[in-house]
């Protein structure tokens, strides 16, 4: 799949995310498993770990909005498409949290340094507190890591 098609799919997915969310969701999924994370930075750490493990289910536990996990508010096929795209861009060799600050509309902005192959990039993850005080990765700066996906220069050494 070309980089242009991947970017187009992500843009389409991002544009539709505001209308895809339901106002009623539970803090635990259908399996009763606790979703989200207890802290903003922990949500980012868990998301990045799931990305590297290519574990879409684990990603869906901490990917969400103020209404809760995306797996409870989005159609499954759409969610999985988004997660596959995000996994391509955010796969990394190492990650380091640089800091956290308040953001707009209740968000926290978590700055992260990601390394992949010979590239090092800083990006921002936007987290939000959802039901039960749990934290979810709501959005992220994909443009900062656009060269991580499909770039031969990022091959692991």
């Amino acid at each position: 799949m070309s980089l242009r098609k991947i970017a187009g799919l992500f843009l389409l997915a991002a544009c539709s995310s505001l209308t895809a969310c339901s106002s009623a969701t539970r803090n635990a999924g259908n399996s009763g498993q606790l979703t989200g994370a207890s802290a903003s930075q922990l949500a980012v750490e868990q998301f990045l770990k799931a990305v590297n493990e290519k574990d879409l289910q684990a990603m869906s536990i901490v990917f969400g909005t103020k209404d809760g996990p995306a797996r409870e508010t989005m159609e499954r096929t759409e969610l999985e498409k988004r997660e596959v795209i995000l996994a391509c861009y955010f796969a990394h060799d190492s990650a380091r949290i640089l800091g956290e600050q308040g953001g707009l509309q209740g968000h926290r902005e978590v700055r992260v340094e990601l390394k992949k192959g010979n590239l090092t990039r800083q990006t921002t993850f936007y987290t939000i507190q959802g039901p039960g005080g749990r934290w979810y990765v709501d959005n992220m700066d994909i443009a900062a890591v656009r060269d991580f996906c499909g770039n031969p220069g990022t091959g692991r050494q």
Side-chain angles (χ1 to χ4, degrees), residues 26-35 71-72:
R26 296 185 309 257
N27 193 33
N30 292 336
S31 66
Q33 180 180 22
L34 193 60
T35 62
R71 70 183 191 177
E72 298 288 325

Side-chain angles (χ1 to χ4, degrees), residues 66-85:
K66 65 179 176 52
D67 296 322
R71 70 183 191 177
E72 298 288 325
T73 60
M74 290 181 65
E75 193 273 321
R76 181 179 175 175
T77 303
E78 178 67 22
L79 174 60
E80 288 176 354
K81 286 179 187 177
R82 289 184 193 193
E83 290 175 333
V84 167
I85 293 167

Side-chain angles (χ1 to χ4, degrees), residues 22-146:
S22 160
S23 62
T25 183
R26 296 185 309 257
N27 193 33
N30 292 336
S31 66
Q33 180 180 22
L34 193 60
T35 62
S38 60
S40 177
Q41 288 185 24
L42 186 57
V44 173
E45 290 170 0
Q46 290 175 356
F47 182 83
L48 288 171
K49 181 177 187 258
V51 161
N52 269 8
E53 293 174 352
K54 296 176 181 47
D55 186 343
L56 300 183
Q57 292 300 318
M59 287 174 70
S60 75
I61 290 172
V62 292
F63 183 51
T65 68
K66 65 179 176 52
D67 296 322
R71 70 183 191 177
E72 298 288 325
T73 60
M74 290 181 65
E75 193 273 321
R76 181 179 175 175
T77 303
E78 178 67 22
L79 174 60
E80 288 176 354
K81 286 179 187 177
R82 289 184 193 193
E83 290 175 333
V84 167
I85 293 167
L86 293 173
C88 180
Y89 283 100
F90 289 97
H92 58 282
D93 296 327
S94 68
R96 181 171 62 103
I97 302 279
L98 301 174
E100 179 181 340
Q101 65 185 27
L104 300 175
Q105 300 174 336
H107 285 89
R108 301 292 299 167
E109 298 178 4
V110 180
R111 294 285 300 159
V112 179
E113 178 184 83
L114 296 175
K115 293 183 180 185
K116 184 173 182 183
N118 59 353
L119 300 176
T120 300
R121 299 289 180 263
Q122 290 185 11
T123 190
T124 303
F125 285 81
Y126 302 90
T127 62
I128 189 98
Q129 199 168 33
R134 305 296 289 178
W135 288 90
Y136 297 90
V137 173
D138 182 35
N139 205 350
M140 60 285 296
D141 178 12
I142 198 168
V145 293
R146 68 183 174 277

